[in-house]
Amino acid sequence: IAVIMCSCETVPERSFARATPAGWWHDEGASGRAKIVVQIGEQKAYFYKGKRLVGETTVSTGKPGFSTPRGSYSVLSKSPDHVSTIFGDYVDDYGNAVKSNIDSRKDRRPSGAHFDGAQMPYAMFFTGSYAMHQGYVPPFAASHGCIRLPKGMAEHFFDASPEGTPVVVKE
């Protein structure tokens, strides 16, 4: 039996705890309908096939002021190489960030800069503009409301989740 262990992206040195390993995935021989359960309080996501747990990973959900919506949803659409039209950076013609981590709906574009949307690989939209996607996963809630999955686990969740897969987001 092979269990795939993934490592999380390096966490910058700051005053918070280091990230734990991303998680594990083992779906060999598993069958049944896919289902994703996200536990916001744990900052974890669980992937089931039928009643069998086949994957578990750390996640980063919405930071204060940008909460991740709780409830029962389903995967509405998928995009393997999605780029945000809302969040990203204002950059100059050389690609240098003029203003980082902006919300294009609220933050004014500096003169001579253009919008560069945040990369959201393996995006699975489950309600409105909220998605699960690959991204930076510190050991706390840090997103604009999306559910970030670590590199190495996002692709597993994406590949195993057809449109219509139930997504349950709990406190």
Side-chain angles (χ1 to χ4, degrees):
I1 296 175
V3 176
I4 299 170
M5 296 296 288
C6 302
S7 60
C8 193
E9 298 170 270
T10 305
V11 176
E13 289 193 27
R14 294 198 185 130
S15 60
F16 52 80
R18 292 189 51 90
T20 57
W24 59 270
W25 185 269
H26 179 68
D27 66 346
E28 186 177 319
S31 63
R33 186 170 185 203
K35 179 180 179 180
I36 300 168
V37 177
V38 177
Q39 293 280 1
I40 290 177
E42 297 175 6
Q43 292 293 284
K44 294 239 178 160
Y46 302 91
F47 196 99
Y48 295 86
K49 282 193 178 176
K51 294 184 178 185
R52 181 173 159 196
L53 178 64
V54 299
E56 176 183 325
T57 186
T58 56
V59 298
S60 185
T61 58
K63 61 187 173 184
F66 294 92
S67 64
T68 300
R70 279 76 166 159
S72 295
Y73 308 99
S74 63
V75 174
L76 302 172
S77 65
K78 296 170 61 173
S79 176
D81 53 2
H82 189 75
V83 177
S84 179
T85 58
I86 299 171
F87 300 106
D89 302 320
Y90 285 130
V91 299
D92 63 20
D93 289 338
Y94 301 101
N96 299 311
V98 175
K99 190 170 187 181
S100 298
N101 199 25
I102 62 97
D103 179 335
S104 65
R105 300 167 300 186
K106 299 176 184 176
D107 297 307
R108 291 179 50 110
R109 182 177 53 85
S111 179
H114 62 274
F115 177 74
D116 184 26
Q119 301 292 312
M120 298 168 55
Y122 305 113
M124 298 185 293
F125 289 87
F126 60 91
T127 184
S129 61
Y130 294 94
M132 296 183 74
H133 62 83
Q134 180 178 302
Y136 172 59
V137 181
F140 52 85
S143 80
H144 288 107
C146 284
I147 300 166
R148 296 184 194 158
L149 299 163
K151 185 175 183 177
M153 291 304 291
E155 188 172 6
H156 286 299
F157 274 62
F158 185 89
D159 288 345
S161 301
E163 288 183 8
T165 297
V167 177
V168 179
V169 182
K170 299 179 177 184
E171 189 56 45

